[in-house]
PDB file of all heavy atoms in Angstrom:
ATOM      1  N   LEU A 255      25.922 -39.525   6.849  1.00  0.00           N
ATOM      2  CA  LEU A 255      26.240 -38.156   6.469  1.00  0.00           C
ATOM      3  C   LEU A 255      27.693 -37.827   6.799  1.00  0.00           C
ATOM      4  O   LEU A 255      28.397 -37.189   6.000  1.00  0.00           O
ATOM      5  CB  LEU A 255      25.306 -37.192   7.199  1.00  0.00           C
ATOM      6  CG  LEU A 255      25.474 -35.693   6.851  1.00  0.00           C
ATOM      7  CD1 LEU A 255      25.183 -35.470   5.371  1.00  0.00           C
ATOM      8  CD2 LEU A 255      24.537 -34.850   7.700  1.00  0.00           C
ATOM      9  N   GLY A 256      28.143 -38.300   7.964  1.00  0.00           N
ATOM     10  CA  GLY A 256      29.524 -38.071   8.358  1.00  0.00           C
ATOM     11  C   GLY A 256      30.506 -38.726   7.404  1.00  0.00           C
ATOM     12  O   GLY A 256      31.504 -38.137   7.005  1.00  0.00           O
ATOM     13  N   LEU A 257      30.189 -39.983   7.040  1.00  0.00           N
ATOM     14  CA  LEU A 257      31.051 -40.682   6.078  1.00  0.00           C
ATOM     15  C   LEU A 257      31.058 -40.001   4.725  1.00  0.00           C
ATOM     16  O   LEU A 257      32.090 -39.878   4.062  1.00  0.00           O
ATOM     17  CB  LEU A 257      30.587 -42.142   5.930  1.00  0.00           C
ATOM     18  CG  LEU A 257      30.824 -43.050   7.147  1.00  0.00           C
ATOM     19  CD1 LEU A 257      30.128 -44.389   6.953  1.00  0.00           C
ATOM     20  CD2 LEU A 257      32.327 -43.274   7.340  1.00  0.00           C
ATOM     21  N   LEU A 258      29.868 -39.542   4.323  1.00  0.00           N
ATOM     22  CA  LEU A 258      29.742 -38.870   3.025  1.00  0.00           C
ATOM     23  C   LEU A 258      30.547 -37.577   2.983  1.00  0.00           C
ATOM     24  O   LEU A 258      31.299 -37.324   2.044  1.00  0.00           O
ATOM     25  CB  LEU A 258      28.271 -38.581   2.741  1.00  0.00           C
ATOM     26  CG  LEU A 258      27.958 -37.922   1.396  1.00  0.00           C
ATOM     27  CD1 LEU A 258      28.336 -38.856   0.255  1.00  0.00           C
ATOM     28  CD2 LEU A 258      26.467 -37.578   1.300  1.00  0.00           C
ATOM     29  N   LEU A 259      30.385 -36.774   4.044  1.00  0.00           N
ATOM     30  CA  LEU A 259      31.112 -35.510   4.094  1.00  0.00           C
ATOM     31  C   LEU A 259      32.613 -35.736   4.193  1.00  0.00           C
ATOM     32  O   LEU A 259      33.411 -35.035   3.564  1.00  0.00           O
ATOM     33  CB  LEU A 259      30.630 -34.667   5.275  1.00  0.00           C
ATOM     34  CG  LEU A 259      29.201 -34.108   5.144  1.00  0.00           C
ATOM     35  CD1 LEU A 259      28.806 -33.421   6.437  1.00  0.00           C
ATOM     36  CD2 LEU A 259      29.107 -33.156   3.975  1.00  0.00           C
ATOM     37  N   GLY A 260      32.979 -36.732   4.989  1.00  0.00           N
ATOM     38  CA  GLY A 260      34.396 -37.053   5.128  1.00  0.00           C
ATOM     39  C   GLY A 260      34.988 -37.513   3.810  1.00  0.00           C
ATOM     40  O   GLY A 260      36.077 -37.116   3.404  1.00  0.00           O
ATOM     41  N   GLY A 261      34.227 -38.359   3.101  1.00  0.00           N
ATOM     42  CA  GLY A 261      34.683 -38.861   1.810  1.00  0.00           C
ATOM     43  C   GLY A 261      34.782 -37.756   0.794  1.00  0.00           C
ATOM     44  O   GLY A 261      35.743 -37.675   0.031  1.00  0.00           O
ATOM     45  N   CYS A 262      33.788 -36.842   0.787  1.00  0.00           N
ATOM     46  CA  CYS A 262      33.803 -35.731  -0.163  1.00  0.00           C
ATOM     47  C   CYS A 262      34.989 -34.827   0.094  1.00  0.00           C
ATOM     48  O   CYS A 262      35.655 -34.380  -0.834  1.00  0.00           O
ATOM     49  CB  CYS A 262      32.518 -34.914  -0.062  1.00  0.00           C
ATOM     50  SG  CYS A 262      31.103 -35.731  -0.821  1.00  0.00           S
ATOM     51  N   LYS A 263      35.256 -34.565   1.359  1.00  0.00           N
ATOM     52  CA  LYS A 263      36.359 -33.677   1.699  1.00  0.00           C
ATOM     53  C   LYS A 263      37.672 -34.252   1.199  1.00  0.00           C
ATOM     54  O   LYS A 263      38.490 -33.563   0.594  1.00  0.00           O
ATOM     55  CB  LYS A 263      36.409 -33.478   3.213  1.00  0.00           C
ATOM     56  CG  LYS A 263      37.446 -32.453   3.666  1.00  0.00           C
ATOM     57  CD  LYS A 263      37.367 -32.268   5.164  1.00  0.00           C
ATOM     58  CE  LYS A 263      38.320 -31.168   5.625  1.00  0.00           C
ATOM     59  NZ  LYS A 263      39.714 -31.452   5.303  1.00  0.00           N
ATOM     60  N   LYS A 264      37.848 -35.544   1.392  1.00  0.00           N
ATOM     61  CA  LYS A 264      39.078 -36.182   0.960  1.00  0.00           C
ATOM     62  C   LYS A 264      39.163 -36.210  -0.560  1.00  0.00           C
ATOM     63  O   LYS A 264      40.220 -35.971  -1.159  1.00  0.00           O
ATOM     64  CB  LYS A 264      39.134 -37.604   1.522  1.00  0.00           C
ATOM     65  CG  LYS A 264      40.447 -38.314   1.221  1.00  0.00           C
ATOM     66  CD  LYS A 264      40.461 -39.684   1.867  1.00  0.00           C
ATOM     67  CE  LYS A 264      41.790 -40.388   1.561  1.00  0.00           C
ATOM     68  NZ  LYS A 264      41.826 -41.745   2.159  1.00  0.00           N
ATOM     69  N   TYR A 265      38.016 -36.481  -1.195  1.00  0.00           N
ATOM     70  CA  TYR A 265      37.993 -36.595  -2.655  1.00  0.00           C
ATOM     71  C   TYR A 265      38.194 -35.251  -3.332  1.00  0.00           C
ATOM     72  O   TYR A 265      38.874 -35.145  -4.352  1.00  0.00           O
ATOM     73  CB  TYR A 265      36.653 -37.201  -3.093  1.00  0.00           C
ATOM     74  CG  TYR A 265      36.515 -37.333  -4.591  1.00  0.00           C
ATOM     75  CD1 TYR A 265      37.154 -38.372  -5.271  1.00  0.00           C
ATOM     76  CD2 TYR A 265      35.771 -36.414  -5.322  1.00  0.00           C
ATOM     77  CE1 TYR A 265      37.041 -38.483  -6.640  1.00  0.00           C
ATOM     78  CE2 TYR A 265      35.654 -36.516  -6.693  1.00  0.00           C
ATOM     79  CZ  TYR A 265      36.288 -37.560  -7.352  1.00  0.00           C
ATOM     80  OH  TYR A 265      36.180 -37.674  -8.704  1.00  0.00           O
ATOM     81  N   LEU A 266      37.602 -34.199  -2.739  1.00  0.00           N
ATOM     82  CA  LEU A 266      37.633 -32.884  -3.372  1.00  0.00           C
ATOM     83  C   LEU A 266      38.862 -32.058  -3.009  1.00  0.00           C
ATOM     84  O   LEU A 266      39.070 -30.994  -3.582  1.00  0.00           O
ATOM     85  CB  LEU A 266      36.378 -32.102  -3.018  1.00  0.00           C
ATOM     86  CG  LEU A 266      35.064 -32.677  -3.567  1.00  0.00           C
ATOM     87  CD1 LEU A 266      33.889 -31.879  -3.044  1.00  0.00           C
ATOM     88  CD2 LEU A 266      35.076 -32.674  -5.091  1.00  0.00           C
ATOM     89  N   ASP A 267      39.659 -32.519  -2.064  1.00  0.00           N
ATOM     90  CA  ASP A 267      40.874 -31.789  -1.728  1.00  0.00           C
ATOM     91  C   ASP A 267      41.786 -31.715  -2.948  1.00  0.00           C
ATOM     92  O   ASP A 267      42.037 -32.726  -3.610  1.00  0.00           O
ATOM     93  CB  ASP A 267      41.627 -32.470  -0.578  1.00  0.00           C
ATOM     94  CG  ASP A 267      41.033 -32.113   0.770  1.00  0.00           C
ATOM     95  OD1 ASP A 267      40.200 -31.205   0.793  1.00  0.00           O
ATOM     96  OD2 ASP A 267      41.396 -32.750   1.774  1.00  0.00           O
ATOM     97  N   LYS A 268      42.269 -30.524  -3.226  1.00  0.00           N
ATOM     98  CA  LYS A 268      43.110 -30.325  -4.407  1.00  0.00           C
ATOM     99  C   LYS A 268      44.563 -30.656  -4.087  1.00  0.00           C
ATOM    100  O   LYS A 268      45.097 -30.212  -3.074  1.00  0.00           O
ATOM    101  CB  LYS A 268      42.976 -28.883  -4.875  1.00  0.00           C
ATOM    102  CG  LYS A 268      43.705 -28.579  -6.167  1.00  0.00           C
ATOM    103  CD  LYS A 268      43.268 -27.249  -6.765  1.00  0.00           C
ATOM    104  CE  LYS A 268      43.569 -26.099  -5.849  1.00  0.00           C
ATOM    105  NZ  LYS A 268      43.264 -24.792  -6.476  1.00  0.00           N
ATOM    106  N   ALA A 269      45.176 -31.413  -4.947  1.00  0.00           N
ATOM    107  CA  ALA A 269      46.582 -31.750  -4.766  1.00  0.00           C
ATOM    108  C   ALA A 269      47.434 -30.498  -4.947  1.00  0.00           C
ATOM    109  O   ALA A 269      47.142 -29.665  -5.817  1.00  0.00           O
ATOM    110  CB  ALA A 269      46.992 -32.812  -5.779  1.00  0.00           C
ATOM    111  N   PRO A 270      48.477 -30.329  -4.155  1.00  0.00           N
ATOM    112  CA  PRO A 270      49.322 -29.125  -4.262  1.00  0.00           C
ATOM    113  C   PRO A 270      49.878 -28.917  -5.659  1.00  0.00           C
ATOM    114  O   PRO A 270      49.988 -27.786  -6.130  1.00  0.00           O
ATOM    115  CB  PRO A 270      50.444 -29.403  -3.249  1.00  0.00           C
ATOM    116  CG  PRO A 270      49.851 -30.373  -2.280  1.00  0.00           C
ATOM    117  CD  PRO A 270      48.904 -31.223  -3.070  1.00  0.00           C
ATOM    118  N   GLU A 271      50.225 -30.024  -6.357  1.00  0.00           N
ATOM    119  CA  GLU A 271      50.813 -29.885  -7.691  1.00  0.00           C
ATOM    120  C   GLU A 271      49.799 -29.457  -8.747  1.00  0.00           C
ATOM    121  O   GLU A 271      50.162 -29.129  -9.879  1.00  0.00           O
ATOM    122  CB  GLU A 271      51.476 -31.201  -8.124  1.00  0.00           C
ATOM    123  CG  GLU A 271      50.548 -32.401  -8.215  1.00  0.00           C
ATOM    124  CD  GLU A 271      50.462 -33.168  -6.897  1.00  0.00           C
ATOM    125  OE1 GLU A 271      50.825 -32.576  -5.853  1.00  0.00           O
ATOM    126  OE2 GLU A 271      50.048 -34.324  -6.923  1.00  0.00           O
ATOM    127  N   ALA A 272      48.489 -29.468  -8.382  1.00  0.00           N
ATOM    128  CA  ALA A 272      47.454 -29.055  -9.345  1.00  0.00           C
ATOM    129  C   ALA A 272      47.325 -27.542  -9.434  1.00  0.00           C
ATOM    130  O   ALA A 272      46.717 -27.019 -10.352  1.00  0.00           O
ATOM    131  CB  ALA A 272      46.102 -29.659  -8.953  1.00  0.00           C
ATOM    132  N   THR A 273      47.900 -26.835  -8.487  1.00  0.00           N
ATOM    133  CA  THR A 273      47.835 -25.374  -8.495  1.00  0.00           C
ATOM    134  C   THR A 273      48.983 -24.805  -9.326  1.00  0.00           C
ATOM    135  O   THR A 273      50.146 -25.067  -9.051  1.00  0.00           O
ATOM    136  CB  THR A 273      47.926 -24.822  -7.057  1.00  0.00           C
ATOM    137  OG1 THR A 273      46.843 -25.347  -6.288  1.00  0.00           O
ATOM    138  CG2 THR A 273      47.855 -23.303  -7.075  1.00  0.00           C
ATOM    139  N   VAL A 274      48.634 -24.055 -10.353  1.00  0.00           N
ATOM    140  CA  VAL A 274      49.643 -23.418 -11.202  1.00  0.00           C
ATOM    141  C   VAL A 274      49.597 -21.923 -10.953  1.00  0.00           C
ATOM    142  O   VAL A 274      48.613 -21.257 -11.275  1.00  0.00           O
ATOM    143  CB  VAL A 274      49.383 -23.711 -12.694  1.00  0.00           C
ATOM    144  CG1 VAL A 274      50.453 -23.037 -13.552  1.00  0.00           C
ATOM    145  CG2 VAL A 274      49.360 -25.211 -12.951  1.00  0.00           C
ATOM    146  N   ASN A 275      50.637 -21.394 -10.361  1.00  0.00           N
ATOM    147  CA  ASN A 275      50.657 -19.951 -10.115  1.00  0.00           C
ATOM    148  C   ASN A 275      51.358 -19.237 -11.271  1.00  0.00           C
ATOM    149  O   ASN A 275      51.966 -19.861 -12.151  1.00  0.00           O
ATOM    150  CB  ASN A 275      51.329 -19.631  -8.773  1.00  0.00           C
ATOM    151  CG  ASN A 275      52.755 -20.150  -8.698  1.00  0.00           C
ATOM    152  OD1 ASN A 275      53.522 -20.001  -9.643  1.00  0.00           O
ATOM    153  ND2 ASN A 275      53.115 -20.756  -7.569  1.00  0.00           N
ATOM    154  N   GLU A 276      51.268 -17.906 -11.277  1.00  0.00           N
ATOM    155  CA  GLU A 276      51.818 -17.128 -12.379  1.00  0.00           C
ATOM    156  C   GLU A 276      53.327 -17.293 -12.493  1.00  0.00           C
ATOM    157  O   GLU A 276      53.882 -17.316 -13.598  1.00  0.00           O
ATOM    158  CB  GLU A 276      51.458 -15.656 -12.192  1.00  0.00           C
ATOM    159  CG  GLU A 276      49.974 -15.362 -12.384  1.00  0.00           C
ATOM    160  CD  GLU A 276      49.667 -13.897 -12.211  1.00  0.00           C
ATOM    161  OE1 GLU A 276      50.575 -13.144 -11.788  1.00  0.00           O
ATOM    162  OE2 GLU A 276      48.521 -13.501 -12.494  1.00  0.00           O
ATOM    163  N   LYS A 277      53.984 -17.432 -11.367  1.00  0.00           N
ATOM    164  CA  LYS A 277      55.442 -17.571 -11.383  1.00  0.00           C
ATOM    165  C   LYS A 277      55.857 -18.825 -12.131  1.00  0.00           C
ATOM    166  O   LYS A 277      56.837 -18.825 -12.886  1.00  0.00           O
ATOM    167  CB  LYS A 277      55.974 -17.595  -9.944  1.00  0.00           C
ATOM    168  CG  LYS A 277      57.484 -17.530  -9.857  1.00  0.00           C
ATOM    169  CD  LYS A 277      57.934 -17.440  -8.411  1.00  0.00           C
ATOM    170  CE  LYS A 277      59.462 -17.374  -8.338  1.00  0.00           C
ATOM    171  NZ  LYS A 277      59.943 -17.282  -6.938  1.00  0.00           N
ATOM    172  N   ASP A 278      55.095 -19.920 -11.936  1.00  0.00           N
ATOM    173  CA  ASP A 278      55.404 -21.177 -12.626  1.00  0.00           C
ATOM    174  C   ASP A 278      54.984 -21.129 -14.091  1.00  0.00           C
ATOM    175  O   ASP A 278      55.677 -21.642 -14.967  1.00  0.00           O
ATOM    176  CB  ASP A 278      54.701 -22.343 -11.932  1.00  0.00           C
ATOM    177  CG  ASP A 278      55.266 -22.624 -10.554  1.00  0.00           C
ATOM    178  OD1 ASP A 278      56.452 -22.303 -10.333  1.00  0.00           O
ATOM    179  OD2 ASP A 278      54.529 -23.130  -9.695  1.00  0.00           O
ATOM    180  N   ALA A 279      53.832 -20.509 -14.366  1.00  0.00           N
ATOM    181  CA  ALA A 279      53.286 -20.513 -15.729  1.00  0.00           C
ATOM    182  C   ALA A 279      54.159 -19.737 -16.699  1.00  0.00           C
ATOM    183  O   ALA A 279      54.238 -20.079 -17.883  1.00  0.00           O
ATOM    184  CB  ALA A 279      51.875 -19.935 -15.712  1.00  0.00           C
ATOM    185  N   PHE A 280      54.828 -18.694 -16.231  1.00  0.00           N
ATOM    186  CA  PHE A 280      55.575 -17.819 -17.118  1.00  0.00           C
ATOM    187  C   PHE A 280      57.084 -17.873 -16.885  1.00  0.00           C
ATOM    188  O   PHE A 280      57.815 -17.023 -17.404  1.00  0.00           O
ATOM    189  CB  PHE A 280      55.096 -16.370 -16.944  1.00  0.00           C
ATOM    190  CG  PHE A 280      53.625 -16.187 -17.182  1.00  0.00           C
ATOM    191  CD1 PHE A 280      52.770 -15.814 -16.150  1.00  0.00           C
ATOM    192  CD2 PHE A 280      53.086 -16.384 -18.441  1.00  0.00           C
ATOM    193  CE1 PHE A 280      51.410 -15.636 -16.374  1.00  0.00           C
ATOM    194  CE2 PHE A 280      51.726 -16.218 -18.684  1.00  0.00           C
ATOM    195  CZ  PHE A 280      50.890 -15.847 -17.641  1.00  0.00           C
ATOM    196  N   LYS A 281      57.581 -18.856 -16.166  1.00  0.00           N
ATOM    197  CA  LYS A 281      58.980 -18.838 -15.738  1.00  0.00           C
ATOM    198  C   LYS A 281      59.963 -19.201 -16.842  1.00  0.00           C
ATOM    199  O   LYS A 281      61.113 -18.759 -16.825  1.00  0.00           O
ATOM    200  CB  LYS A 281      59.172 -19.778 -14.548  1.00  0.00           C
ATOM    201  CG  LYS A 281      58.979 -21.249 -14.876  1.00  0.00           C
ATOM    202  CD  LYS A 281      59.193 -22.124 -13.662  1.00  0.00           C
ATOM    203  CE  LYS A 281      58.999 -23.608 -14.003  1.00  0.00           C
ATOM    204  NZ  LYS A 281      59.212 -24.469 -12.819  1.00  0.00           N
ATOM    205  N   ASP A 282      59.557 -20.041 -17.819  1.00  0.00           N
ATOM    206  CA  ASP A 282      60.492 -20.440 -18.873  1.00  0.00           C
ATOM    207  C   ASP A 282      59.803 -20.405 -20.230  1.00  0.00           C
ATOM    208  O   ASP A 282      58.586 -20.228 -20.329  1.00  0.00           O
ATOM    209  CB  ASP A 282      61.088 -21.829 -18.588  1.00  0.00           C
ATOM    210  CG  ASP A 282      60.040 -22.909 -18.407  1.00  0.00           C
ATOM    211  OD1 ASP A 282      58.998 -22.858 -19.111  1.00  0.00           O
ATOM    212  OD2 ASP A 282      60.233 -23.815 -17.572  1.00  0.00           O
ATOM    213  N   PHE A 283      60.582 -20.584 -21.288  1.00  0.00           N
ATOM    214  CA  PHE A 283      60.061 -20.457 -22.646  1.00  0.00           C
ATOM    215  C   PHE A 283      58.999 -21.507 -22.946  1.00  0.00           C
ATOM    216  O   PHE A 283      57.968 -21.190 -23.555  1.00  0.00           O
ATOM    217  CB  PHE A 283      61.210 -20.580 -23.653  1.00  0.00           C
ATOM    218  CG  PHE A 283      60.743 -20.511 -25.083  1.00  0.00           C
ATOM    219  CD1 PHE A 283      60.412 -19.300 -25.665  1.00  0.00           C
ATOM    220  CD2 PHE A 283      60.629 -21.668 -25.847  1.00  0.00           C
ATOM    221  CE1 PHE A 283      59.971 -19.231 -26.985  1.00  0.00           C
ATOM    222  CE2 PHE A 283      60.192 -21.605 -27.159  1.00  0.00           C
ATOM    223  CZ  PHE A 283      59.863 -20.385 -27.734  1.00  0.00           C
ATOM    224  N   ARG A 284      59.222 -22.733 -22.522  1.00  0.00           N
ATOM    225  CA  ARG A 284      58.294 -23.812 -22.846  1.00  0.00           C
ATOM    226  C   ARG A 284      56.906 -23.548 -22.268  1.00  0.00           C
ATOM    227  O   ARG A 284      55.890 -23.670 -22.961  1.00  0.00           O
ATOM    228  CB  ARG A 284      58.828 -25.151 -22.338  1.00  0.00           C
ATOM    229  CG  ARG A 284      57.929 -26.336 -22.652  1.00  0.00           C
ATOM    230  CD  ARG A 284      58.516 -27.622 -22.083  1.00  0.00           C
ATOM    231  NE  ARG A 284      57.604 -28.738 -22.256  1.00  0.00           N
ATOM    232  CZ  ARG A 284      57.539 -29.489 -23.348  1.00  0.00           C
ATOM    233  NH1 ARG A 284      58.329 -29.223 -24.373  1.00  0.00           N
ATOM    234  NH2 ARG A 284      56.692 -30.495 -23.421  1.00  0.00           N
ATOM    235  N   SER A 285      56.834 -23.177 -20.998  1.00  0.00           N
ATOM    236  CA  SER A 285      55.528 -22.944 -20.365  1.00  0.00           C
ATOM    237  C   SER A 285      54.887 -21.661 -20.891  1.00  0.00           C
ATOM    238  O   SER A 285      53.679 -21.609 -21.133  1.00  0.00           O
ATOM    239  CB  SER A 285      55.674 -22.882 -18.842  1.00  0.00           C
ATOM    240  OG  SER A 285      56.574 -21.864 -18.459  1.00  0.00           O
ATOM    241  N   PHE A 286      55.670 -20.609 -21.109  1.00  0.00           N
ATOM    242  CA  PHE A 286      55.138 -19.341 -21.624  1.00  0.00           C
ATOM    243  C   PHE A 286      54.653 -19.518 -23.064  1.00  0.00           C
ATOM    244  O   PHE A 286      53.621 -18.976 -23.462  1.00  0.00           O
ATOM    245  CB  PHE A 286      56.206 -18.245 -21.561  1.00  0.00           C
ATOM    246  CG  PHE A 286      55.652 -16.866 -21.322  1.00  0.00           C
ATOM    247  CD1 PHE A 286      56.257 -15.994 -20.425  1.00  0.00           C
ATOM    248  CD2 PHE A 286      54.512 -16.416 -21.993  1.00  0.00           C
ATOM    249  CE1 PHE A 286      55.752 -14.717 -20.200  1.00  0.00           C
ATOM    250  CE2 PHE A 286      54.000 -15.138 -21.769  1.00  0.00           C
ATOM    251  CZ  PHE A 286      54.627 -14.292 -20.871  1.00  0.00           C
ATOM    252  N   GLN A 287      55.394 -20.297 -23.853  1.00  0.00           N
ATOM    253  CA  GLN A 287      54.954 -20.549 -25.222  1.00  0.00           C
ATOM    254  C   GLN A 287      53.671 -21.379 -25.228  1.00  0.00           C
ATOM    255  O   GLN A 287      52.798 -21.188 -26.078  1.00  0.00           O
ATOM    256  CB  GLN A 287      56.054 -21.280 -26.010  1.00  0.00           C
ATOM    257  CG  GLN A 287      55.717 -21.556 -27.464  1.00  0.00           C
ATOM    258  CD  GLN A 287      55.453 -20.299 -28.280  1.00  0.00           C
ATOM    259  OE1 GLN A 287      55.984 -19.229 -27.987  1.00  0.00           O
ATOM    260  NE2 GLN A 287      54.636 -20.413 -29.316  1.00  0.00           N
ATOM    261  N   GLY A 288      53.543 -22.269 -24.265  1.00  0.00           N
ATOM    262  CA  GLY A 288      52.300 -23.032 -24.136  1.00  0.00           C
ATOM    263  C   GLY A 288      51.120 -22.126 -23.865  1.00  0.00           C
ATOM    264  O   GLY A 288      50.029 -22.317 -24.409  1.00  0.00           O
ATOM    265  N   PHE A 289      51.339 -21.104 -23.042  1.00  0.00           N
ATOM    266  CA  PHE A 289      50.303 -20.096 -22.782  1.00  0.00           C
ATOM    267  C   PHE A 289      49.980 -19.329 -24.067  1.00  0.00           C
ATOM    268  O   PHE A 289      48.812 -19.079 -24.388  1.00  0.00           O
ATOM    269  CB  PHE A 289      50.799 -19.135 -21.697  1.00  0.00           C
ATOM    270  CG  PHE A 289      49.971 -17.904 -21.529  1.00  0.00           C
ATOM    271  CD1 PHE A 289      48.853 -17.894 -20.710  1.00  0.00           C
ATOM    272  CD2 PHE A 289      50.307 -16.712 -22.191  1.00  0.00           C
ATOM    273  CE1 PHE A 289      48.081 -16.752 -20.543  1.00  0.00           C
ATOM    274  CE2 PHE A 289      49.543 -15.564 -22.032  1.00  0.00           C
ATOM    275  CZ  PHE A 289      48.433 -15.591 -21.204  1.00  0.00           C
ATOM    276  N   THR A 290      51.005 -18.989 -24.832  1.00  0.00           N
ATOM    277  CA  THR A 290      50.848 -18.167 -26.043  1.00  0.00           C
ATOM    278  C   THR A 290      50.193 -18.943 -27.181  1.00  0.00           C
ATOM    279  O   THR A 290      49.491 -18.365 -28.019  1.00  0.00           O
ATOM    280  CB  THR A 290      52.221 -17.631 -26.489  1.00  0.00           C
ATOM    281  OG1 THR A 290      52.846 -16.961 -25.382  1.00  0.00           O
ATOM    282  CG2 THR A 290      52.095 -16.663 -27.644  1.00  0.00           C
ATOM    283  N   GLU A 291      50.403 -20.246 -27.221  1.00  0.00           N
ATOM    284  CA  GLU A 291      49.919 -21.075 -28.335  1.00  0.00           C
ATOM    285  C   GLU A 291      48.413 -20.934 -28.575  1.00  0.00           C
ATOM    286  O   GLU A 291      47.955 -21.016 -29.713  1.00  0.00           O
ATOM    287  CB  GLU A 291      50.231 -22.554 -28.073  1.00  0.00           C
ATOM    288  CG  GLU A 291      51.689 -22.940 -28.244  1.00  0.00           C
ATOM    289  CD  GLU A 291      52.138 -22.945 -29.698  1.00  0.00           C
ATOM    290  OE1 GLU A 291      51.305 -23.207 -30.587  1.00  0.00           O
ATOM    291  OE2 GLU A 291      53.323 -22.674 -29.948  1.00  0.00           O
ATOM    292  N   GLU A 292      47.635 -20.726 -27.513  1.00  0.00           N
ATOM    293  CA  GLU A 292      46.184 -20.669 -27.679  1.00  0.00           C
ATOM    294  C   GLU A 292      45.760 -19.509 -28.580  1.00  0.00           C
ATOM    295  O   GLU A 292      44.695 -19.563 -29.203  1.00  0.00           O
ATOM    296  CB  GLU A 292      45.490 -20.551 -26.321  1.00  0.00           C
ATOM    297  CG  GLU A 292      43.980 -20.743 -26.419  1.00  0.00           C
ATOM    298  CD  GLU A 292      43.264 -20.527 -25.092  1.00  0.00           C
ATOM    299  OE1 GLU A 292      43.801 -19.810 -24.236  1.00  0.00           O
ATOM    300  OE2 GLU A 292      42.156 -21.073 -24.930  1.00  0.00           O
ATOM    301  N   LEU A 293      46.586 -18.487 -28.671  1.00  0.00           N
ATOM    302  CA  LEU A 293      46.246 -17.342 -29.510  1.00  0.00           C
ATOM    303  C   LEU A 293      46.117 -17.735 -30.975  1.00  0.00           C
ATOM    304  O   LEU A 293      45.330 -17.149 -31.721  1.00  0.00           O
ATOM    305  CB  LEU A 293      47.295 -16.239 -29.349  1.00  0.00           C
ATOM    306  CG  LEU A 293      47.291 -15.538 -27.983  1.00  0.00           C
ATOM    307  CD1 LEU A 293      48.545 -14.690 -27.799  1.00  0.00           C
ATOM    308  CD2 LEU A 293      46.040 -14.685 -27.822  1.00  0.00           C
ATOM    309  N   TYR A 294      46.880 -18.728 -31.400  1.00  0.00           N
ATOM    310  CA  TYR A 294      46.765 -19.207 -32.781  1.00  0.00           C
ATOM    311  C   TYR A 294      45.382 -19.810 -33.029  1.00  0.00           C
ATOM    312  O   TYR A 294      44.853 -19.724 -34.137  1.00  0.00           O
ATOM    313  CB  TYR A 294      47.847 -20.249 -33.068  1.00  0.00           C
ATOM    314  CG  TYR A 294      49.247 -19.688 -33.167  1.00  0.00           C
ATOM    315  CD1 TYR A 294      50.023 -19.458 -32.024  1.00  0.00           C
ATOM    316  CD2 TYR A 294      49.798 -19.377 -34.399  1.00  0.00           C
ATOM    317  CE1 TYR A 294      51.308 -18.941 -32.115  1.00  0.00           C
ATOM    318  CE2 TYR A 294      51.095 -18.860 -34.498  1.00  0.00           C
ATOM    319  CZ  TYR A 294      51.838 -18.644 -33.355  1.00  0.00           C
ATOM    320  OH  TYR A 294      53.109 -18.131 -33.468  1.00  0.00           O
ATOM    321  N   SER A 295      44.818 -20.413 -32.014  1.00  0.00           N
ATOM    322  CA  SER A 295      43.495 -21.026 -32.145  1.00  0.00           C
ATOM    323  C   SER A 295      42.369 -20.012 -32.091  1.00  0.00           C
ATOM    324  O   SER A 295      41.211 -20.370 -32.278  1.00  0.00           O
ATOM    325  CB  SER A 295      43.300 -22.073 -31.039  1.00  0.00           C
ATOM    326  OG  SER A 295      44.223 -23.125 -31.190  1.00  0.00           O
TER     327      SER A 295
END
């Protein structure tokens, strides 16, 4: 159980670069346009 929980914790930890905050998502034209593109769909 200890190994399992330890392994899960390590596996499920989110990498810092996987978090996209609003400041990053809307900071430049390329990323903001990527957000806007879904509206066409």
Side-chain angles (χ1 to χ4, degrees):
L255 183 62
L257 290 171
L258 182 64
L259 291 174
C262 285
K263 186 177 184 300
K264 185 177 180 181
Y265 179 78
L266 294 175
D267 279 349
K268 185 166 62 175
E271 61 270 19
T273 301
V274 180
N275 58 44
E276 290 181 352
K277 189 175 180 180
D278 292 334
F280 303 114
K281 67 180 180 180
D282 56 36
F283 178 77
R284 181 181 174 86
S285 58
F286 212 137
Q287 182 60 28
F289 168 86
T290 307
E291 286 288 330
E292 190 184 25
L293 290 167
Y294 289 83
S295 296

